[in-house]
């Protein structure tokens, strides 16, 4: 039932839901896809028997775990209750993060979320490693990486605040990966989007790891991430043909550059493999000992930065972030 019915339905129903509900905003489409994706991977966790600790202790725990998009915490008694201090923490941080997001969007919108013009096209065949070393491209990639981090952090605080209000404690989603990571494994495994990391770990990594090496399991998880991000793009950019007709063109319709997301995650899987092989080398121990932590973090981020546009390009060239502006207080320049 899991792989034959539930997961295929999770893949298909967002298109029908978006069409039926007449959803136009690309950020709302993104969230619609994420909800479906979360259900699919949690189904995979259950099928392979890798639910989080204590979730399968009772039916009620399973219901609570699957009822929220974030991962709630459990102990032997059941779901760990939240406190008003938790609620206050998440509400305050949501306010701060929301303000930061608004101000940052106010800065980036002046250049249409692209600090510098770039030459690389949107298709997989347009990928160029030479362009990856262009400092204009690097600046664009870094600015959008920060934007994604603030976006995910803001959504995390909002969801955590609501979950805390109903009395549940949950894991954080983002832990400042760009500026506090100490290694690639720390970045992807302990700081960046921990909700997605959790269901990839339990739904893909652990099942593969039971039969294959750590590197093979990590590669499988990165490939799965690439594939589901490709699918997510198809949901985000799914057009409403009833409104725009078959001859759909931007800004109503965009054709995703399929393959670029997967290529980005394959790149990072290769970097993880290199880290597994060389992390004990003296040069890395020396760098960690003598360089400031923030420099270490930026060096970690820089390993993916040259090719980050393989992932972000479709979001930047469409009106995805412009749709997101509707949810934040931003400052825009009015034409005279």
């Amino acid at each position: 039932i899991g792989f034959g019915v539930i997961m295929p339905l999770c893949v298909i129903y967002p298109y029908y839901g978006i069409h039926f509900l007449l959803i136009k905003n690309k950020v709302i489409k993104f969230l619609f896809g994420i909800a479906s994706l979360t259900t699919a991977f949690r189904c995979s966790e259950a099928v392979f028997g890798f639910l989080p600790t204590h979730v399968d202790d009772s039916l009620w725990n399973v219901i609570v775990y699957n009822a929220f998009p974030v991962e709630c915490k459990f102990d032997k008694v059941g779901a760990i209750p939240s406190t008003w201090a938790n609620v206050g923490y998440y509400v305050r941080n949501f306010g701060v993060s929301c303000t930061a997001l608004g101000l940052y969007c106010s800065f980036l919108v002046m250049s249409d979320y692209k600090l510098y013009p770039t030459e690389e096209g949107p298709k997989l065949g347009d990928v160029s490693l030479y362009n990856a070393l262009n400092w204009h491209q690097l600046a664009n990639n870094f600015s959008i990486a920060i934007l994604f981090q603030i976006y995910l952090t803001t959504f995390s605080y909002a969801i955590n605040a609501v979950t805390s209000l109903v009395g549940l404690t949950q894991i954080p989603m983002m832990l400042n990966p760009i500026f506090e990571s100490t290694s690639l494994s720390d970045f992807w495994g302990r700081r960046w989007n921990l909700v997605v990391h959790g269901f990839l770990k339990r739904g893909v990594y652990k099942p593969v790891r039971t039969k294959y090496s750590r590197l093979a399991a990590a590669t499988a998880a990165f490939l799965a991430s690439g594939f589901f991000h490709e699918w997510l793009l198809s949901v985000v950019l799914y057009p409403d043909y009833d409104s725009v007709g078959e001859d759909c063109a931007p800004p109503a319709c965009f054709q995703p550059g399929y393959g670029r997301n997967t290529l980005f995650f394959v790149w990072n899987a290769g970097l993880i493999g290199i880290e597994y092989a060389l992390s004990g080398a003296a040069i890395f121990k020396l760098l960690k000992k003598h360089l400031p932590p923030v420099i270490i973090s930026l060096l970690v981020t820089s390993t993916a930065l040259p090719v980050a546009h393989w992932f972000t390009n479709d979001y930047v060239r469409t009106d995805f972030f412009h749709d997101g502006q509707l949810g934040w207080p931003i400052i825009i320049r009015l034409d005279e």
Side-chain angles (χ1 to χ4, degrees), residues 269-311:
L271 292 177
I272 288 290
I274 293 172
E275 181 186 80
Y276 285 169
L278 302 178
S279 60
I283 181 64
F284 295 111
K285 294 180 179 179
L286 189 66
L287 290 174
K288 284 188 176 183
K289 182 177 180 180
H290 294 285
L291 290 180
V294 68
I295 300 299
I296 295 293
S297 300
L298 292 175
L299 287 173
V300 169
T301 303
S302 69
T303 59
L305 202 60
V307 300
H309 58 288
W310 296 350
F311 176 82

Side-chain angles (χ1 to χ4, degrees), residues 90-103 150 154 157:
Y90 289 125
V91 170
R92 286 194 305 273
N93 280 281
F94 171 73
V96 172
S97 189
C98 189
T99 302
L101 181 57
L103 291 173
I150 301 175
T154 303
Y157 284 135

Side-chain angles (χ1 to χ4, degrees), residues 9 56 58 84 90 104 110 112 124 129 132 138 143 154-156 181 196 222 226 254 273-275 281 297:
L9 284 176
D56 56 355
S58 69
W84 283 109
Y90 289 125
Y104 195 57
M110 293 188 293
D112 198 25
L124 178 61
L129 288 176
L138 291 171
S143 67
T154 303
F155 277 116
S156 172
S181 296
V196 171
F222 274 104
F254 293 88
I274 293 172
E275 181 186 80
S297 300

